Amino acid sequence: WCSHPGIVFKPDKTKGKYTVAIDTNVPAGPYLVRMHSKDGASETKFFVASTLPELNEVEDNGSLDKAQVITNFPLVINGLLASRDTDFFRIRLKRGQTISAQLDGYRLRSLIDPFIRLHDPNRYEAALASDTHTIDPFLFHRAKQTGDYTLQLFAIGHKASTSVSFN
């Protein structure tokens, strides 16, 4: 089931995988999805339809030296931050050029507190974003020099709770 009739999930031959068909009349945005089987229904999850080009994360991109290169903007990166995972993406910026990046984790009901760090061409931290919209980060940075910058995406586990205590 999906909250928009123009989005249809078709089960793949591999258990737990689906092909998604999206009608051209479906506006960009988040939609509710619920999977069901003979054993019952899943909890509701979000599925985001976008008009932007998409890029799938390619492992192993877990270090500055193994950063996945991105050449076309704007785009959506489809990826997964597994436990103790960090992902790196290399981009070329000219001096004065602006980059904006956001990571939707918590807003999509993922139990993570994500961060975005930008490394400059000399591998120093140029910017860090955390807890910008809800606990999801939004990074906005104007390049001070021309060169290869690297976006680092990482997260810590975050379980929702109504009580907070400091020990």
Side-chain angles (χ1 to χ4, degrees):
W1 171 86
C2 183
S3 61
H4 193 291
I7 301 174
V8 179
F9 287 76
K10 298 176 184 173
D12 194 82
K13 291 181 182 180
T14 306
K15 184 178 179 181
K17 293 199 175 197
Y18 297 84
T19 300
V20 181
I22 304 173
D23 285 343
T24 56
N25 67 343
V26 175
Y31 296 93
L32 297 174
V33 174
R34 185 183 296 268
M35 301 298 173
H36 58 87
S37 70
K38 62 179 176 61
D39 298 323
S42 71
E43 67 178 88
T44 304
K45 297 287 186 180
F46 284 105
F47 176 82
V48 179
S50 176
T51 58
L52 295 174
E54 297 186 21
L55 174 75
N56 290 326
E57 173 199 2
V58 177
E59 294 288 354
D60 176 26
N61 63 340
S63 70
L64 279 165
D65 293 325
K66 295 181 178 181
Q68 184 174 346
V69 176
I70 299 174
T71 56
N72 297 318
F73 298 95
L75 74 134
V76 173
I77 299 172
N78 293 314
L80 174 68
L81 282 173
S83 178
R84 303 186 197 288
D85 188 18
T86 184
D87 296 325
F88 293 83
F89 300 90
R90 183 159 300 115
I91 56 174
R92 182 90 177 153
L93 295 175
K94 295 178 182 174
R95 182 180 179 182
Q97 192 173 10
T98 300
I99 180 172
S100 63
Q102 73 181 44
L103 194 158
D104 295 329
Y106 183 77
R107 282 179 285 183
L108 297 177
R109 296 180 61 193
S110 181
L111 298 178
I112 61 170
D113 183 0
F115 297 80
I116 302 173
R117 177 179 288 137
L118 181 67
H119 300 266
D120 70 14
N122 299 313
R123 297 180 156 213
Y124 291 108
E125 182 179 290
L128 176 67
S130 170
D131 300 351
T132 311
H133 298 99
T134 66
I135 62 173
D136 286 336
F138 179 79
L139 182 136
F140 183 86
H141 182 77
R142 188 172 319 271
K144 294 187 170 107
Q145 60 183 329
T146 297
D148 289 335
Y149 287 73
T150 307
L151 281 171
Q152 177 186 8
L153 310 179
F154 61 100
I156 57 175
H158 172 78
K159 294 181 180 175
S161 174
T162 58
S163 66
V164 175
S165 64
F166 298 97
N167 298 323

